[in-house]
PDB file of all heavy atoms in Angstrom:
ATOM      1  N   SER A 267      18.753   9.350   2.650  1.00 98.00           N
ATOM      2  CA  SER A 267      19.020  10.693   2.114  1.00 98.00           C
ATOM      3  C   SER A 267      20.545  10.942   2.072  1.00 98.00           C
ATOM      4  O   SER A 267      21.081  11.561   1.149  1.00 98.00           O
ATOM      5  CB  SER A 267      18.301  11.764   2.905  1.00 98.00           C
ATOM      6  OG  SER A 267      18.806  11.804   4.231  1.00 98.00           O
ATOM      7  N   GLN A 268      21.229  10.424   3.085  1.00 97.00           N
ATOM      8  CA  GLN A 268      22.668  10.590   3.114  1.00 97.00           C
ATOM      9  C   GLN A 268      23.316   9.876   1.922  1.00 97.00           C
ATOM     10  O   GLN A 268      24.194  10.436   1.249  1.00 97.00           O
ATOM     11  CB  GLN A 268      23.211   9.977   4.431  1.00 97.00           C
ATOM     12  CG  GLN A 268      24.564  10.500   4.812  1.00 97.00           C
ATOM     13  CD  GLN A 268      25.046   9.837   6.102  1.00 97.00           C
ATOM     14  OE1 GLN A 268      24.249   9.325   6.898  1.00 97.00           O
ATOM     15  NE2 GLN A 268      26.351   9.798   6.281  1.00 97.00           N
ATOM     16  N   ALA A 269      22.811   8.653   1.617  1.00 98.00           N
ATOM     17  CA  ALA A 269      23.347   7.907   0.495  1.00 98.00           C
ATOM     18  C   ALA A 269      23.080   8.653  -0.821  1.00 98.00           C
ATOM     19  O   ALA A 269      23.932   8.723  -1.700  1.00 98.00           O
ATOM     20  CB  ALA A 269      22.720   6.517   0.452  1.00 98.00           C
ATOM     21  N   VAL A 270      21.891   9.252  -0.941  1.00 98.00           N
ATOM     22  CA  VAL A 270      21.532   9.982  -2.156  1.00 98.00           C
ATOM     23  C   VAL A 270      22.477  11.164  -2.316  1.00 98.00           C
ATOM     24  O   VAL A 270      23.075  11.383  -3.383  1.00 98.00           O
ATOM     25  CB  VAL A 270      20.068  10.475  -2.090  1.00 98.00           C
ATOM     26  CG1 VAL A 270      19.780  11.501  -3.200  1.00 98.00           C
ATOM     27  CG2 VAL A 270      19.092   9.299  -2.201  1.00 98.00           C
ATOM     28  N   LYS A 271      22.644  11.940  -1.232  1.00 98.00           N
ATOM     29  CA  LYS A 271      23.467  13.161  -1.315  1.00 98.00           C
ATOM     30  C   LYS A 271      24.930  12.834  -1.582  1.00 98.00           C
ATOM     31  O   LYS A 271      25.562  13.480  -2.403  1.00 98.00           O
ATOM     32  CB  LYS A 271      23.316  13.969  -0.036  1.00 98.00           C
ATOM     33  CG  LYS A 271      21.982  14.646   0.073  1.00 98.00           C
ATOM     34  CD  LYS A 271      21.837  15.352   1.431  1.00 98.00           C
ATOM     35  CE  LYS A 271      20.377  15.611   1.720  1.00 98.00           C
ATOM     36  NZ  LYS A 271      20.156  16.095   3.070  1.00 98.00           N
ATOM     37  N   GLU A 272      25.427  11.829  -0.852  1.00 98.00           N
ATOM     38  CA  GLU A 272      26.846  11.471  -1.026  1.00 98.00           C
ATOM     39  C   GLU A 272      27.136  10.975  -2.420  1.00 98.00           C
ATOM     40  O   GLU A 272      28.130  11.380  -3.047  1.00 98.00           O
ATOM     41  CB  GLU A 272      27.236  10.366  -0.042  1.00 98.00           C
ATOM     42  CG  GLU A 272      27.509  10.875   1.372  1.00 98.00           C
ATOM     43  CD  GLU A 272      27.704   9.710   2.343  1.00 98.00           C
ATOM     44  OE1 GLU A 272      27.820   8.539   1.903  1.00 98.00           O
ATOM     45  OE2 GLU A 272      27.746  10.005   3.547  1.00 98.00           O
ATOM     46  N   THR A 273      26.265  10.097  -2.896  1.00 98.00           N
ATOM     47  CA  THR A 273      26.509   9.539  -4.231  1.00 98.00           C
ATOM     48  C   THR A 273      26.408  10.630  -5.306  1.00 98.00           C
ATOM     49  O   THR A 273      27.217  10.674  -6.223  1.00 98.00           O
ATOM     50  CB  THR A 273      25.519   8.372  -4.538  1.00 98.00           C
ATOM     51  OG1 THR A 273      25.442   7.537  -3.403  1.00 98.00           O
ATOM     52  CG2 THR A 273      25.958   7.588  -5.749  1.00 98.00           C
ATOM     53  N   ALA A 274      25.427  11.501  -5.148  1.00 98.00           N
ATOM     54  CA  ALA A 274      25.250  12.580  -6.118  1.00 98.00           C
ATOM     55  C   ALA A 274      26.489  13.487  -6.117  1.00 98.00           C
ATOM     56  O   ALA A 274      27.059  13.819  -7.169  1.00 98.00           O
ATOM     57  CB  ALA A 274      24.004  13.387  -5.821  1.00 98.00           C
ATOM     58  N   ALA A 275      26.962  13.842  -4.914  1.00 98.00           N
ATOM     59  CA  ALA A 275      28.113  14.737  -4.814  1.00 98.00           C
ATOM     60  C   ALA A 275      29.357  14.074  -5.424  1.00 98.00           C
ATOM     61  O   ALA A 275      30.113  14.686  -6.178  1.00 98.00           O
ATOM     62  CB  ALA A 275      28.365  15.096  -3.354  1.00 98.00           C
ATOM     63  N   ALA A 276      29.530  12.766  -5.094  1.00 98.00           N
ATOM     64  CA  ALA A 276      30.736  12.053  -5.579  1.00 98.00           C
ATOM     65  C   ALA A 276      30.721  11.942  -7.099  1.00 98.00           C
ATOM     66  O   ALA A 276      31.774  11.868  -7.731  1.00 98.00           O
ATOM     67  CB  ALA A 276      30.771  10.649  -4.950  1.00 98.00           C
ATOM     68  N   ARG A 277      29.513  11.936  -7.691  1.00 97.00           N
ATOM     69  CA  ARG A 277      29.448  11.754  -9.148  1.00 97.00           C
ATOM     70  C   ARG A 277      29.126  13.058  -9.859  1.00 97.00           C
ATOM     71  O   ARG A 277      28.762  13.073 -11.050  1.00 97.00           O
ATOM     72  CB  ARG A 277      28.367  10.694  -9.493  1.00 97.00           C
ATOM     73  CG  ARG A 277      28.651   9.321  -8.915  1.00 97.00           C
ATOM     74  CD  ARG A 277      29.757   8.566  -9.619  1.00 97.00           C
ATOM     75  NE  ARG A 277      29.579   8.486 -11.047  1.00 97.00           N
ATOM     76  CZ  ARG A 277      28.975   7.487 -11.700  1.00 97.00           C
ATOM     77  NH1 ARG A 277      28.485   6.474 -11.017  1.00 97.00           N
ATOM     78  NH2 ARG A 277      28.889   7.494 -13.005  1.00 97.00           N
ATOM     79  N   ASP A 278      29.206  14.157  -9.151  1.00 96.00           N
ATOM     80  CA  ASP A 278      29.016  15.481  -9.755  1.00 96.00           C
ATOM     81  C   ASP A 278      27.626  15.634 -10.386  1.00 96.00           C
ATOM     82  O   ASP A 278      27.457  16.094 -11.512  1.00 96.00           O
ATOM     83  CB  ASP A 278      30.112  15.670 -10.838  1.00 96.00           C
ATOM     84  CG  ASP A 278      30.229  17.131 -11.244  1.00 96.00           C
ATOM     85  OD1 ASP A 278      29.873  17.992 -10.416  1.00 96.00           O
ATOM     86  OD2 ASP A 278      30.655  17.407 -12.401  1.00 96.00           O
ATOM     87  N   LEU A 279      26.667  15.252  -9.580  1.00 97.00           N
ATOM     88  CA  LEU A 279      25.268  15.299 -10.022  1.00 97.00           C
ATOM     89  C   LEU A 279      24.533  16.256  -9.066  1.00 97.00           C
ATOM     90  O   LEU A 279      24.822  16.270  -7.875  1.00 97.00           O
ATOM     91  CB  LEU A 279      24.691  13.880  -9.875  1.00 97.00           C
ATOM     92  CG  LEU A 279      23.592  13.358 -10.751  1.00 97.00           C
ATOM     93  CD1 LEU A 279      24.021  13.354 -12.206  1.00 97.00           C
ATOM     94  CD2 LEU A 279      23.207  11.937 -10.315  1.00 97.00           C
TER      95      LEU A 279
END
Side-chain angles (χ1 to χ4, degrees):
S267 64
Q268 200 182 337
V270 168
K271 287 175 199 171
E272 279 173 10
T273 315
R277 299 287 307 268
D278 196 25
L279 209 61

